[in-house]
Every structure is written in C-alpha cells, then in structure tokens.
Amino acid sequence: MTSFRYALRDTFRLLFRHWGLSLLTLVTAASVLYILGFTGLFSLNLRQMISRVEGGLVVQVFMKKGQNADPVVALVKTMPTVTSAAAVSPEQALEKLRAKLGNQARAVTLLGENPLPWSVEVQVGRAEQIAPLVRDLIAVPEVEEVLYSGKLVERLTTISRAATTASGTILVLAAIISTLVIFNTIRIAIYSRREEIEVMLLVGATRTYISLPFVIQGTLLGAGGALLAIAGIWGTYASIMNAVRTSLPFLDIIVDRRTLLQFFLLLFATGATLGWVCSWLAVSRFISRASRAK
Amino acid sequence: MDIRMAGVTKVFDQDIVALEDVHLSVDSGEFLYLVGTTGSGKTTLLRILSREYIATRGQVTVGDRNLRKIGRSELPFYRREVGVVFQDFKLLSDLSALENVSFALEAMGLPPRIVQNRANEVIDQVGLWRRRFLKPPQLSGGEQQRVAIARAMASSPSVFLADEPTGNLDIRTSEEIMKLLLSINAAGTTVLVATHDRNMVDAYRQRLVELHNGRIRRDERRGRYLLDDEL
C-alpha cells in the first residue's frame, strides 16, 4: 500500500515534471486513437449498410402441386444461417398477387381455381450464405423451384467480402501503427528518465516499484488520449450525421446513441489498455536492459 | 558481512582483462583500501561486489550469498545490504539533498514517517542539515559526496563500497569524508574504499590491497601507499 502511494505520487511527478513529454504523448495518443476510432466507425457503418441490404434478400421456395410447406419449414429451422422463414399458403399468395396487381386485380378471377402452390420465404443474414442454402433446398424432393436474385447475391457477396477484408486490414494496420507510435512515445519518455531508473536499480528498488509510476502514467495518458479522440470523433461524426440526413437520407449510417456509446467505451478501453501495455512493455524492456549485469 | 573472492577474473569485450585470478577475503567489520593506478581494476572489483558486473570466472560470496546465483527478484534486496558511493555520485539533480536520500528509502517500500526520520538522521550525520533542501547543482563537490554517502548509509547496509570518495576534493573535505567512512566502519559495517588518495591512505592507516594490471600485488594489514618506484 505504501509503495502504491509512492507510485501515485511519482506518477503525478512524472506527468508534471516532464510536462512537455506528457503533452506530446497525450497528443500522439489522441491523434492515433482518432484515426483508429474513425477507421473503426467507418468499418462499422460499412458493415451495417451491407448487412441491411443482405438482410433484405429473400429466397422463395415453391412447393410441388399438392405439397404443403412443412418439409421446407422443418428443414430451414435446423439451419443456423436462416434468420426467418415464413410459409405462404396458396390463399395468401393469391391475396398478395391481387394486392400487387392493383387495378387489374379482377383478372385473377379469370384463373378460376387458385393455381398458386405453397411457398416459403426464407431470409439469411449474409449474402454468401444464400448459395449453399439454395443447394440444400433444391435437394428437397417436395420442392418444385427456388427463386432468388442470383446476380445481386453474387455481387453483394463480393462487395461484402471485399469490404470486410479492406476494413479489417485498415483497422489492423491502424491498430498496429497506433501501438507502435504510442509505444515509441512512451519509450522516449522513459528514456528521458534513464538516469533516475538506473539509480533506483542501484539503490535496491524492485522492478515493480520502478515500473508502476510509468505504467500508471501510460494508462492515464492512453485513457486521456482516448477521451480527446472520442471528443474529436464525436464532433466530426455529428457533422457527418447532419450532412447525411439532409443530403443523403437513404444512406443508412449508425445514429443509434447506444451503439455509439458502446463504441466510444470500447475506444476508451482500447486507449487505456494500449497505454498500459505499451508503457509496461517499454519500461520492462528498459529495466531488463539496465539491470542486466555486464 | 564478510566478502570472499576466489580466482575471480573479469574479461570485457575485445578480450580486455580487468581482473585476473583475484583471491580476496574481507572479514565482517573490516576496513579496506583498494589502491592502484587508473585501470588497475579497482572499480571493476567494486562493481562485481555491487553486482553491476558478473565475474567471468571464479566465485564471489558476500555473506551467505553467491553473487553469480542471485536472481532477478533477489537482487534489489541484496543491493539494500550493500551501500555504494559511486565515483560520479549518481545523484538526481532535480531532487534536493534530503529527497535524494528519501528516494532510496522509499524504493525499499518503507512508510513515509520512517523514511522521513531516517533521511533526516543520516543527512544530519553527514553534516548537511542546513543544506538539506538544496539540489545537487547548488552543492559543492564535497557536499554532493556527502549526500551520496548519506544515501548509501540510509539503508544501514552491512557492506559499504566507496569508489574514489575523496577524488577531486580538497584536503579538509577529504578528511571529513574519511572520518565519516571510518565512523560507518566503527558501527560494524564492512567498508571497501577504492582510492588513489595517498594522503588519506597514509593518514588513516588500514588494511591496504593494491591492484596492478588486474592482479593483487600487495595486501598489507596497515599498509602505506607506495608508488611504483618505492616498491
């Protein structure tokens, strides 16, 4: 407990005695976390837009004459990729047809007996899950025909895969760059106090005693940087939201405050964790080198 | 604590031999001068004892500790038992004299009240009570040396190592420093002083070990400092 008290005091000494370096670390952390956070938010939005389009895709399964939809409903219920499946009776199908035809609805009466079969409308979460689903459905003996927008699905699958890969890559790159920049800035801060650390080692300070102020300082600067980045991202994103609402209202970007709050909490935790891990790594490496007997 | 060195050799990169086959026994509570010309191996020997260096060959024990076998977690505790006064003092320039001493005690995890009392006590012992709030750049060389001694004394070590404690100091200040070291020894601490201050060695005769080219050339009970042409 006493050591922790000293560590806290030394943390604030570190922060204010070398305020220039602290400020540099804070600004660096804020900048890289801003880029990281914005990349993340962009990826989330892209993923949401694609998901919305993908979620709207419907596979229509038509049963053979005289067959009801039970075998297909039973089958799709066992498939984890299926998000919804609704059986449509011939009567419901006829009603839908009438509604679609509008003014020409009377033409339907010319058909006499309802010629429409039982069908099932199946939805999946991702476009790439449609092809295997269609293969399974066609194999069901009671199924007459399976209809879906093949070309659109293929294109969406390609776009979705490319978007996932691109945003994932950018995110990973941004994370690596953020880690390296924060790590090196903290390393410079530690290096500027090498003399003090060496003396501490020589007078018998433990590694934990020496590291703790640096680790607390790194965590605080990481968290502080994240707060600044969040403020910056929020400011920018709010203006983007306003612009999109006015100029591109069909664009489905994330506006849900709960989702945004969760995202910002994650960014805050990332900043604090990055600061903690980077400072711990940097100070541990430094102490290991400094305390290695020659 | 006693010190035992058996067949100690220290070779640095590029085959520079700093110490060669050194056998040395220092009993607990003994005072010993390490003398010799620059490059004779005095500082290397002290650094092996403070565990900054590890001997290339041979065995070193301080008390019941084999220095080669001291682990990473045990090292800080060993260093608290060995007070070291470095040739370049190694004081932190942005801390006051008192803080430089407190800092070493805090590093041991002692409670603030004990740290404060002990730091005040040793600062007073080295005669710097009135200068305790000054920072090293505001102190003279002799005063800085005394702060370094106070810091090394603070943890009440069993072994005290001083590297050129009177180097670059005037005779009067050197005498004060020597008296301080003798008083530390009088309290039962084993003291090793590396020096080439002939005046001090001859004025305060103690056991003298002379190193020459990394080897022990002389080991005398109450030896005098002799130059090469006097041997």
Side-chain angles (χ1 to χ4, degrees):
Chain A
M1 194 60 210
T2 308
S3 294
F4 190 72
R5 257 178 28 212
Y6 290 139
L8 274 184
R9 184 204 57 194
D10 287 346
T11 303
F12 287 100
R13 264 192 198 163
L14 270 179
L15 281 170
F16 297 108
R17 193 186 295 158
H18 304 276
W19 65 269
L21 266 174
S22 303
L23 193 67
L24 174 74
T25 315
L26 186 73
V27 172
T28 311
S31 312
V32 290
L33 287 170
Y34 179 87
I35 296 166
L36 181 69
F38 224 93
T39 313
L41 205 50
F42 173 76
S43 303
L44 270 183
N45 272 296
L46 192 64
R47 192 64 257 156
Q48 168 162 302
M49 285 177 210
I50 290 169
S51 291
R52 286 278 159 90
V53 179
E54 286 178 321
L57 292 172
V58 177
V59 175
Q60 283 192 304
V61 188
F62 293 98
M63 309 304 293
K64 282 181 178 164
K65 192 127 184 100
Q67 294 291 338
N68 64 22
D70 294 348
V72 169
V73 172
L75 174 70
V76 295
K77 270 187 182 164
T78 64
M79 295 177 170
T81 55
V82 172
T83 54
S84 76
V88 181
S89 68
E91 294 73 32
Q92 287 168 321
L94 195 63
E95 274 311 305
K96 278 189 179 177
L97 184 63
R98 279 204 181 105
K100 243 187 204 174
L101 289 172
N103 290 340
Q104 284 92 38
R106 246 187 285 159
V108 173
T109 52
L110 296 173
L111 295 171
E113 197 188 336
N114 183 355
L116 299 174
W118 274 86
S119 64
V120 184
E121 288 176 358
V122 186
Q123 283 184 296
V124 288
R126 313 272 303 261
E128 63 189 18
Q129 292 161 344
I130 287 182
L133 171 76
V134 169
R135 266 199 306 276
D136 288 347
L137 290 172
I138 286 172
V140 178
E142 292 87 351
V143 169
E144 177 71 37
E145 195 178 12
V146 178
L147 290 181
Y148 70 104
S149 314
K151 281 275 177 225
L152 178 64
V153 167
E154 273 172 29
R155 215 168 273 173
L156 263 179
T157 306
T158 315
I159 292 171
S160 172
R161 276 190 191 148
T164 307
T165 314
S167 58
T169 312
I170 293 169
L171 205 61
V172 168
L173 277 176
I176 291 172
I177 292 167
S178 310
T179 311
L180 284 176
V181 171
I182 294 177
F183 175 76
N184 280 310
T185 317
I186 291 175
R187 210 167 63 160
I188 292 168
I190 290 168
Y191 191 74
S192 74
R193 292 191 69 214
R194 66 192 179 284
E195 201 188 344
E196 204 167 323
I197 296 176
E198 279 162 8
V199 175
M200 278 180 162
L201 284 167
L202 289 171
V203 298
T206 60
R207 294 166 73 95
T208 314
Y209 180 85
I210 300 169
S211 323
L212 211 53
F214 287 101
V215 174
I216 299 174
Q217 182 203 27
T219 312
L220 287 177
L221 289 174
L227 282 178
L228 287 178
I230 288 167
I233 293 171
W234 177 246
T236 319
Y237 194 69
S239 17
I240 291 175
M241 278 196 304
N242 284 336
V244 167
R245 265 195 212 120
T246 349
S247 325
L248 305 161
F250 55 88
L251 214 57
D252 185 25
I253 66 165
I254 299 169
V255 288
D256 174 33
R257 279 180 185 265
R258 197 185 153 85
T259 312
L260 288 174
L261 182 70
Q262 281 173 345
F263 176 78
F264 289 141
L265 279 176
L266 184 69
L267 189 63
F268 178 75
T270 306
T273 312
L274 263 180
W276 172 57
V277 172
C278 289
S279 52
W280 182 77
L281 277 177
V283 77
S284 297
R285 273 171 58 128
F286 187 88
I287 292 175
S288 290
R289 273 194 204 154
S291 59
R292 201 174 294 147
K294 296 167 191 110
Chain B
M1 271 201 302
D2 54 353
I3 296 167
R4 306 275 174 256
M5 298 179 99
V8 172
T9 297
K10 178 67 188 173
V11 183
F12 288 107
D13 291 343
Q14 296 162 337
D15 294 333
I16 297 167
V17 181
L19 285 179
E20 199 173 357
D21 196 29
V22 169
H23 293 264
L24 179 68
S25 269
V26 185
D27 290 335
S28 185
E30 211 174 343
F31 190 110
L32 182 141
Y33 288 118
L34 274 173
V35 298
T37 51
T38 304
S40 58
K42 306 186 294 290
T43 300
T44 303
L45 194 145
L46 291 187
R47 287 189 169 184
I48 285 175
L49 292 175
S50 65
R51 196 33 173 73
E52 284 177 76
Y53 294 164
I54 289 185
T56 312
R57 281 187 295 278
Q59 199 168 345
V60 185
T61 53
V62 177
D64 54 1
R65 282 194 174 96
N66 180 341
L67 296 202
R68 194 181 290 283
K69 290 183 180 161
I70 287 182
R72 212 168 70 170
S73 56
E74 201 193 338
L75 187 58
F77 300 96
Y78 168 71
R79 286 196 170 147
R80 291 172 195 177
E81 289 180 42
V82 179
V84 185
V85 179
F86 304 95
Q87 201 168 357
D88 55 354
F89 313 143
K90 290 199 191 302
L91 298 175
L92 299 175
S93 55
D94 51 355
L95 296 186
S96 70
L98 189 64
E99 284 170 332
N100 264 287
V101 177
S102 311
F103 158 86
L105 292 164
E106 286 169 2
M108 295 167 64
L110 295 172
R113 185 178 291 270
I114 293 176
V115 168
Q116 202 182 342
N117 290 342
R118 180 64 183 151
N120 284 337
E121 189 185 325
V122 287
I123 274 288
D124 192 28
Q125 265 180 299
V126 297
L128 285 176
W129 182 252
R130 297 171 75 177
R131 313 269 290 161
R132 67 190 184 283
F133 296 124
L134 297 182
K135 292 180 178 175
Q138 299 167 299
L139 298 169
S140 69
E143 287 170 331
Q144 289 186 39
Q145 186 66 276
R146 278 189 275 175
V147 178
I149 291 173
R151 185 180 63 190
M153 284 166 67
S155 60
S156 308
S158 309
V159 174
F160 196 94
L161 310 173
D163 196 359
E164 301 290 357
T166 56
N168 302 321
L169 300 181
D170 59 75
I171 292 181
R172 211 177 127 212
T173 315
S174 296
E175 278 181 349
E176 284 171 7
I177 299 289
M178 277 311 301
K179 281 175 188 164
L180 205 53
L181 295 174
L182 289 166
S183 72
I184 293 167
N185 176 243
T189 307
T190 311
V191 177
L192 268 77
V193 178
T195 184
H196 38 224
D197 188 338
R198 186 178 187 174
N199 293 332
M200 290 307 118
V201 173
D202 289 346
Y204 303 92
R205 294 269 200 96
Q206 296 288 339
R207 181 179 168 193
L208 179 142
V209 168
E210 184 185 343
L211 286 167
H212 182 73
N213 289 338
R215 288 175 168 271
I216 292 181
R217 183 154 76 173
R218 255 187 335 139
D219 185 349
E220 292 173 7
R221 274 293 136 200
R222 293 178 70 78
R224 277 183 60 227
Y225 196 117
L226 299 174
L227 298 174
D228 277 356
D229 54 1
E230 296 171 313
L231 284 166

